[in-house]
Amino acid sequence: MEKYVILGGAKLEGEVEISGAKNSAVALIVAALLVEDVCIIENVPAVSDTYVLIDIINQLGGKAEFVDKGVLRIDGSSLNCCEAPYEMVSKIRASSYLMGALLGRFKQARVAMPGGCDFGVRPIDLHLKGFAALGAECNVEYGLVDIKAEALRGAGIYMDQVSVGATINIMLASAMAEGQTVIENAAKEPHIVDVANFLNSMGANIKGAGTDVIKIKGVEKLHGGMYTVIPDQIEAGTFMIAAAATQGDVLIKNIIPKHLDSISAKLEEMGVEIEEYDDSIRVRGTSELRKANVKTMPHPGFPTDLQPQMLTLLTAAKGTSIVTENVWDNRFKYVEELRRMGATVSVDGRTAVVEGGGRLSGSPVSSTDLRAGAALVIAGLMADGVTEIYNLKYIDRGYESFEQKLRALGAQITRRKDGEKSYAVTIA
Ligand code: UD1
């Protein structure tokens, strides 16, 4: 088993280049299966979620491979299977997009209930309601979601709750349906816009992505092409928070500052200095962090995927901060790990109360999911002494070259096999 060993206390300083957005890439990779043609996707992050999808495509009879750094070639022309069993899809939430892509292309899909990070119930009722509205019959049996349609016909779909996954799945399934589909109360995350732009570049007719109402006029066929993934909003936010947490001074490059508005605003409220440029942001930390209340919301609100990192930063802000998780019902599991490091945080349902201002101390801890893992890395950077972080498989799902990027900024972080000589010993 591998672990990170971090010696805390170093200020992060310098420049970091943000990779392509993981949550966008995983949707685009699956969307490429809608075409019987070749798609080249650039700026794809080399993270384990990407490799899991490459395997899935190859097992389904398609061809997917990296042909250069960040350049993924996907040839869906030979795809010959509409069934994605449990072993294939259970590792990754984005495999749920196979439902929309296979249904859109073949009018049928049999996909095991998707997996992914565990932060409470992760239903797919909205996805299935959307497919049903388009004329598909959906049944869940023997662990598989069985979806088929004689024909897909455009429909008006109102989403009871804003869902990123369901919005993307409905776009995929309806891109080649007959007539027009209108999604109301659609998700507005940057990767929704990226998926719509990608599909449009392949010949789709989608308008309104990024607003509450998305209109999809079905087209007969989509074609292959080239597309570049947007920068990762969550990776960028993670580095912004890490810079603030270490009282550092970091220029975060290759980003879209607009996507980071909610994070910049919250950090400024806490006393962190933010300077925005065209495609970069400079973050300068302070030793006098102010407390703040944070509520996660669908975009453009504060992203739930930065909640653990932000809560970790708040442990250094004097006073009582309140963090409310409005998207997931159980996303504070990692707090137990922060408590091992001396954080004073109490959790009641979807609310966490952080008594900040004390110093964290290094300790062995375990990632409980992808973003919680990133939060623990930030905690390790802030803490006195040595922190060991286990369960790196979660962090590897979504952060490209995480420790290399942090090391280049001055962090003392190494990846070790458990049992290898500890960093603390090396330092001493
Ligand atoms: C995506 C992101 C994930 C992020 C989340 C919210 C990817 C690969 N993952 O997940 O990192 O945390 O958005 O920004 O992009 N819901 C239902 N019924 C459904 C679907 C969802 O009730 O059919 C509820 C969920 O329980 C949750 C909320 O809607 O409370 C948001 O879920 P959703 O936006 O669908 O999350 P994902 O697409 O799975």
Side-chain angles (χ1 to χ4, degrees), residues 79-129:
L79 206 72
N80 55 23
C81 179
C82 290
E83 182 160 331
Y86 182 77
E87 314 77 76
M88 233 188 236
V89 304
S90 56
K91 289 184 205 139
I92 166 177
R93 183 71 188 169
S95 56
S96 66
Y97 298 141
L98 287 167
M99 296 189 292
L102 296 174
L103 178 66
R105 175 154 162 202
F106 299 110
K107 310 283 175 287
Q108 57 171 316
R110 273 166 71 77
V111 179
M113 293 289 279
C117 283
D118 174 14
F119 19 77
V121 187
R122 299 193 74 169
I124 55 164
D125 57 310
L126 296 170
H127 304 236
L128 300 187
K129 269 193 209 164

Side-chain angles (χ1 to χ4, degrees), residues 23 93 122-126 161 163-165 191 305 327-328:
N23 282 350
R93 183 71 188 169
R122 299 193 74 169
I124 55 164
D125 57 310
L126 296 170
Q161 181 166 351
S163 162
V164 173
H191 51 302
D305 286 358
V327 179
W328 299 108

